[in-house]
């Protein structure tokens, strides 16, 4: 008996994957419906939708980058205290003392730059394929929220090293927020937790960056992928699969 066969016939495997893998349509659907990790997959996928020209894999790459950022971010949290001036020292320690600390920091930093870039390219791809038209207009709006959350994560992460670049970037950014008509000064106060960039601002940006925004992004991505399925799968480059087809939610 091969290793694979032994694994798929073990009790643990059968407890997780209750349906066999026989290739009937009914079984395919049951396999997907019964598994919490698979329920976002469609039971059947048009081979066209998997072609490079349909998506350029940009949505999937954004998702992988979000995964890398979450994992590397969690590891960075083990070495970081959101307090003044300890935050700055923690980053220096990561850079010069912790083994592979610089590597970890750079993985997080470069993945963050890449995510902003790739999410934006994904938006351009969707626009180019007119995939913002019905029935995908709701998912377009979800996408815009995901883009704003991605930019929010990028901005809040910028303050955390607590160096000159971080300090002045947040000083300038929150001054710009202050220029918003009517609510400007209140918005700046809310973001900074006071009138100046200090300890309170660092704590607020930390909570936003490490808890609130990633949670909102994860929930948004779940809705986004569920919607891709409900709207009839991905729209390929020729638009052959009826971008105007109305599908009941
Ligand atoms: C965290 C950011 C995002 C992630 C992880 C993500 C992920 C994905 C994935 C995996 C797909 C299916 C495959 C593909 O089309 O590449 C998809 C489709 C789609 N995305 Fe996104 N996306 C994000 C941001 C956005 C943004 C910023 C927009 C536009 C404002 C957007 C609009 C759409 C639309 C309309 C579809 C359906 C496309 C179609 O049916 O052809 N997404 N997304």
């Amino acid at each position: 008996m091969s290793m694979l066969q032994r694994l798929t016939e073990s009790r643990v495997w059968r407890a997780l994957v209750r349906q066999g893998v026989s290739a009937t349509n009914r079984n395919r659907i049951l396999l997907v419906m019964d598994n919490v990790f698979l329920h976002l997959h469609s039971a059947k996928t048009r081979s066209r939708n998997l072609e490079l020209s349909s998506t350029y894999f940009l949505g999937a790459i954004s998702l992988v980058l979000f995964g890398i950022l979450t994992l590397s971010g969690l590891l960075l949290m083990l070495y970081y205290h959101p307090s003044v001036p300890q935050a700055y020292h923690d980053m220096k320690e990561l850079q010069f003392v912790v083994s592979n600390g610089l590597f970890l920091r750079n993985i997080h930093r470069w993945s963050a730059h890449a995510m902003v870039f790739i999410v934006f390219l994904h938006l351009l791809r969707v626009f180019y394929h007119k995939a913002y038209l019905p029935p995908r207009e709701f998912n377009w709006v979800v996408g815009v929220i995901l883009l704003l959350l991605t930019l929010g994560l990028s901005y809040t992460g910028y303050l955390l090293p607590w160096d000159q670049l971080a300090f002045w970037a947040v000083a300038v950014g929150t001054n710009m927020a202050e220029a918003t008509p009517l609510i400007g000064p209140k918005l700046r106060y809310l973001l900074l937790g006071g009138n100046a960039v200090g300890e309170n601002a660092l704590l607020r940006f930390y909570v936003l960056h490490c808890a609130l925004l990633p949670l909102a992004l994860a929930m948004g991505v779940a809705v986004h992928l569920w919607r891709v399925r409900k709207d009839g799968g991905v729209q390929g480059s020729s638009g052959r699969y009826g971008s105007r087809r109305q599908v009941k939610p």
Side-chain angles (χ1 to χ4, degrees), residues 5-20 34:
Q5 205 176 351
R6 255 197 222 167
L7 178 72
T8 52
E9 283 180 13
S10 67
R11 285 186 67 182
V12 177
W13 181 273
R14 276 160 183 265
L16 290 170
V17 184
R18 284 161 193 263
Q19 299 301 321
D34 274 5

Side-chain angles (χ1 to χ4, degrees), residues 54-55 57-60 62-63 115 119 122-123 125-126 129 131-132 136 139-140 143-144 146-147 150 217 221 224-225 228 233-236:
S54 294
T55 63
F57 305 137
L58 294 168
S62 311
L63 196 59
M115 183 162 167
V119 167
H122 172 57
L123 180 148
R125 190 296 284 176
V126 167
H129 284 164
Y132 51 82
R136 296 178 173 80
N139 217 11
W140 171 264
V144 172
L146 291 180
L147 176 68
T150 307
L217 191 72
V221 167
H224 194 60
L225 298 184
V228 171
V234 170
Q235 188 192 3

Side-chain angles (χ1 to χ4, degrees), residues 8-243:
T8 52
E9 283 180 13
S10 67
R11 285 186 67 182
V12 177
W13 181 273
R14 276 160 183 265
L16 290 170
V17 184
R18 284 161 193 263
Q19 299 301 321
V21 282
S22 73
T24 62
N25 276 353
R26 183 174 175 278
N27 214 62
R28 279 199 193 110
I29 292 168
L30 287 175
L31 184 71
V32 169
M33 302 268 285
D34 274 5
N35 189 314
V36 68
F37 299 109
L38 289 182
H39 75 280
L40 277 173
H41 289 261
S42 44
K44 268 183 165 182
T45 304
R46 297 182 190 100
S47 57
R48 246 198 89 73
N49 292 0
L50 301 176
E51 282 169 14
L52 182 67
S53 62
S54 294
T55 63
Y56 303 111
F57 305 137
L58 294 168
I61 298 173
S62 311
L63 196 59
V64 169
L65 286 170
F66 180 48
I68 295 176
L69 281 162
T70 308
L71 207 65
S72 54
L74 280 172
L75 292 176
L76 283 172
M77 281 173 82
L78 300 178
Y79 295 96
Y80 181 85
H81 301 83
S83 61
V84 179
Q86 186 60 35
Y88 178 77
H89 297 309
D90 287 346
M91 294 321 284
K92 288 290 149 211
E93 201 159 279
L94 256 168
Q95 204 163 339
F96 298 113
V97 183
V98 176
S99 40
N100 295 316
L102 183 60
F103 178 66
L104 182 63
R105 199 182 161 191
N106 279 340
I107 289 270
H108 197 73
R109 179 175 279 255
W110 285 103
S111 304
H113 292 324
M115 183 162 167
V116 172
F117 185 60
I118 298 284
V119 167
F120 189 66
L121 287 187
H122 172 57
L123 180 148
L124 291 184
R125 190 296 284 176
V126 167
F127 185 74
Y128 171 67
H129 284 164
K130 293 196 182 152
Y132 51 82
L133 291 175
R136 296 178 173 80
E137 73 277 36
F138 175 76
N139 217 11
W140 171 264
V141 176
V142 176
V144 172
I145 295 171
L146 291 180
L147 176 68
L148 293 178
L149 287 172
T150 307
L151 294 176
L153 274 162
S154 189
Y155 183 62
T156 49
Y158 215 76
L159 181 65
L160 302 187
W162 200 249
D163 52 13
Q164 286 291 318
L165 200 63
F167 183 89
W168 292 110
V170 171
V172 171
T174 48
N175 282 346
M176 282 163 72
E178 196 180 14
T180 313
L182 301 176
I183 55 162
K186 290 255 181 280
L187 187 64
R188 181 170 189 270
Y189 193 88
L190 185 75
L191 278 171
L192 295 181
N195 288 315
V197 184
E199 183 108 24
N200 287 350
L202 182 61
L203 193 59
R204 283 185 184 210
F205 274 53
Y206 177 75
V207 173
L208 278 171
H209 187 76
C210 300
L212 297 182
L213 294 180
L215 264 178
L217 191 72
M219 284 181 347
V221 167
V223 174
H224 194 60
L225 298 184
W226 164 77
R227 223 34 251 189
V228 171
R229 269 192 68 187
K230 288 285 170 192
D231 294 341
V234 170
Q235 188 192 3
S237 52
S238 69
R240 252 195 346 222
Y241 295 113
S243 62

